[in-house]
């Protein structure tokens, strides 16, 4: 993934996305339209003409989950999936790329979930949520889940026992 140079920018219709930390990203129009939120924000604007030298106004993405690091990752995903669609890439190859894409730190994964939700990128939201669900499924106990995601146990031993009793039916084998 590389940022688009000014030469490339003039050759294609571009959208300028701006993160809350004021970083700007020039993204091809078709790639940006993969986000329902960006698409709706730009709906009333005329589509830029091919080869236009006119600099597009930045589209401010003010949700804090869209910081420059995460927005760059989202754009990487949108760009790659746009290429996949144009080239007819096999589902197996897409899945392999997706699997590698979500190999990030937990904090980044959670921010990708928030950004995908904010930007309304359903495929990315599904992928990132599925990844977290798979991590949870690998854990056998609530304590393992707490350890995996660094979640403090704020129950007293008495409260924990009460929750176990209330949910004993979950533990029963059919």
């Amino acid at each position: 993934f590389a940022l688009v140079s000014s030469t490339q920018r003039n050759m294609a219709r571009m959208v300028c996305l701006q993160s809350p930390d004021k970083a700007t990203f020039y993204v091809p129009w078709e790639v940006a339209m993969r986000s329902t939120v960006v698409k709706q924000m730009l709906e009333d604007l005329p589509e830029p003409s091919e080869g236009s030298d006119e600099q597009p106004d930045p589209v401010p993405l003010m949700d804090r989950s869209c910081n420059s690091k995460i927005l760059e990752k989202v754009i990487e995903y949108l760009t790659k999936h746009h290429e996949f669609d144009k080239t007819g890439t096999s589902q197996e190859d897409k899945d392999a790329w997706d699997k590698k894409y979500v190999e990030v730190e937990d904090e980044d994964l959670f921010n990708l979930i928030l950004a995908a939700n904010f930007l309304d990128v359903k495929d990315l939201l599904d992928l990132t949520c599925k990844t977290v669900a798979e991590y949870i499924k690998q854990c056998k106990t609530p304590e393992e889940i707490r350890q995996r995601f660094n979640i403090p146990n704020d129950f007293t031993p008495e409260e924990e026992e009460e929750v176990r009793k209330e949910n004993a039916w979950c533990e029963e084998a059919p």
Side-chain angles (χ1 to χ4, degrees), residues 3 16-26 57-72 75:
L3 294 177
C16 180
L17 301 178
Q18 184 179 47
S19 66
D21 50 353
K22 304 294 184 211
T24 55
F25 299 87
Y26 288 88
D57 289 333
V59 175
L61 304 174
M62 301 319 294
D63 189 88
R64 62 187 167 89
S65 67
C66 293
N67 66 54
S68 58
K69 177 183 179 184
I70 298 302
L71 185 55
E72 187 170 355
I75 293 168

Side-chain angles (χ1 to χ4, degrees), residues 3-17:
L3 294 177
V4 178
S5 73
S6 59
T7 310
Q8 291 170 310
R9 190 170 36 234
N10 290 335
M11 294 168 60
R13 297 169 295 182
M14 303 300 280
V15 173
C16 180
L17 301 178

Side-chain angles (χ1 to χ4, degrees), residues 121-140:
V121 180
K122 185 181 178 335
D123 293 345
L124 179 56
L125 183 60
D126 290 348
L127 172 65
T128 51
C129 287
K130 179 182 170 201
T131 301
V132 171
E134 287 170 358
Y135 290 157
I136 292 170
K137 281 172 42 178
Q138 292 170 1
C139 300
K140 304 287 184 239

